[in-house]
């Protein structure tokens, strides 16, 4: 009888131990996040129409930007900048954003489009780098280019907005209060690159535009100013090493104590 009781208790212990394992496994399973691992993959532009570098584009053509995944419509539309500016209508086809100018495009003009890192996918993940492309309604593209690097506290800084102003078309008494003509953003390593610029004299600002609103907040957004204006013309289409050192401006008022 004693031996039978020991066997019975042993079986009960084994069953109880097995029950505890199943219970712990069940709890661990329930704790897994629903829908699998969080999406941390940066979206990117996978296709454009017109293709970058296209010429003789029809003046009534739509512009299409296709992303690698579903995007948040509002933020993505706000991240797209077109120069020369046109009034646009927006519509979506799956992952593609279609820009429809309300009036025909200007003839014999190079159009430059930037998609900034304000563009978000449906999981709130931004583009890793800004994306730019260009096309022409004429026989050729403007061929001016400017490149350089941006530093903050002595180190290359990514995600900095570079604002380019065509001086013949802007009154720049207070440049940071005027919307730029061209915009790109620095990549990893702090490098930036403008291309397809038209002839003219340009002024540049580098801004750590924290809220990506194309407006400089002097109290908290570091700013860099180019050492000189740059003239794009025949024989001087390419300018390199136009670098910036960012710093926060002292906006406090002078007080006599």
């Amino acid at each position: 009888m004693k031996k039978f009781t020991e066997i019975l208790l042993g079986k009960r212990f084994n069953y109880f131990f097995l029950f505890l394992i199943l219970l712990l496994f069940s709890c661990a399973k329930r704790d897994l996040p629903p829908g699998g691992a969080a999406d941390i993959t940066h979206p990117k532009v996978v296709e454009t129409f017109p293709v970058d570098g296209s010429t003789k584009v029809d003046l009534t053509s739509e512009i299409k930007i296709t992303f690698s995944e579903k995007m948040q419509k509002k933020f993505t539309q706000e991240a797209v900048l077109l120069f020369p500016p046109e009034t646009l209508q927006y519509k979506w086809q799956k992952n593609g954003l279609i820009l429809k100018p309300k009036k025909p495009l200007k003839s014999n003009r190079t159009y430059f489009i930037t998609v900034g890192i304000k563009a978000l996918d449906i999981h709130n993940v931004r583009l890793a780098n800004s994306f730019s492309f260009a096309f022409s309604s004429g026989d050729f593209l403007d061929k001016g280019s400017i490149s350089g690097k941006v530093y903050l506290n002595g180190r290359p800084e990514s995600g900095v907005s570079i604002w380019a102003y065509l001086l013949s078309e802007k009154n720049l008494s207070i440049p940071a209060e005027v919307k730029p003509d061209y915009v790109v953003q620095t990549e990893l390593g702090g490098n930036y690159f403008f291309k397809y610029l038209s002839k003219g004299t340009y002024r540049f600002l580098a801004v750590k535009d924290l809220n990506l609103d194309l407006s400089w907040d002097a109290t908290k957004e570091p700013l860099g100013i180019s050492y000189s204006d740059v003239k794009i013309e025949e024989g001087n289409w390419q300018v390199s090493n136009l670098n910036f050192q960012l710093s926060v401006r002292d906006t406090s008022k002078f007080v006599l104590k």
Side-chain angles (χ1 to χ4, degrees), residues 91-104:
K91 64 179 179 179
W92 287 83
Q93 288 182 352
K94 296 184 178 179
N95 297 351
L97 171 59
I98 298 174
L99 313 175
K100 175 66 175 177
K102 291 186 176 181
K103 296 180 180 179

Side-chain angles (χ1 to χ4, degrees), residues 76-230:
T76 302
Q77 289 170 193
E78 291 174 351
V80 176
L81 302 173
L82 173 68
F83 178 81
E86 300 285 353
T87 304
L88 300 170
Q89 294 176 321
Y90 303 93
K91 64 179 179 179
W92 287 83
Q93 288 182 352
K94 296 184 178 179
N95 297 351
L97 171 59
I98 298 174
L99 313 175
K100 175 66 175 177
K102 291 186 176 181
K103 296 180 180 179
L105 299 173
K106 297 177 177 66
S107 60
N108 298 313
R109 294 297 297 268
T110 295
Y111 282 88
F112 184 83
I113 300 99
T114 295
V115 185
I117 60 173
K118 188 175 182 179
L120 296 171
D121 69 15
I122 59 174
H123 302 289
N124 292 317
V125 182
R126 300 184 185 277
L127 267 69
N129 297 302
S130 63
F131 178 89
S132 301
F133 68 103
F135 63 88
S136 175
S137 57
D139 295 330
F140 61 90
L141 289 140
D142 292 325
K143 53 185 179 181
S145 67
I146 295 176
S147 61
K149 201 162 188 173
V150 178
Y151 298 87
L152 178 61
N153 298 325
R155 296 181 179 180
E157 184 73 4
S158 63
V160 177
S161 296
I162 312 298
W163 299 344
Y165 300 89
L166 188 55
L167 295 185
S168 61
E169 298 186 8
K170 300 288 182 182
N171 176 13
L172 291 182
S173 56
I174 309 179
E177 294 183 0
V178 179
K179 297 299 181 185
D181 295 311
Y182 297 86
V183 178
V184 295
Q185 289 168 323
T186 57
E187 302 177 349
L188 296 175
N191 298 301
Y192 74 89
F193 188 80
F194 285 100
K195 56 183 179 179
Y196 305 124
L197 297 177
S198 61
K199 291 181 181 179
T201 301
Y202 292 86
R203 184 167 298 168
F204 295 87
L205 297 178
V207 182
K208 188 68 173 178
D209 192 7
L210 299 175
N211 54 6
L212 301 172
D213 63 351
L214 295 179
S215 180
W216 176 48
D217 184 342
T219 62
K220 59 183 179 182
E221 293 180 340
L223 174 74
I225 301 174
S226 59
Y227 56 83
S228 67
D229 296 334
V230 176

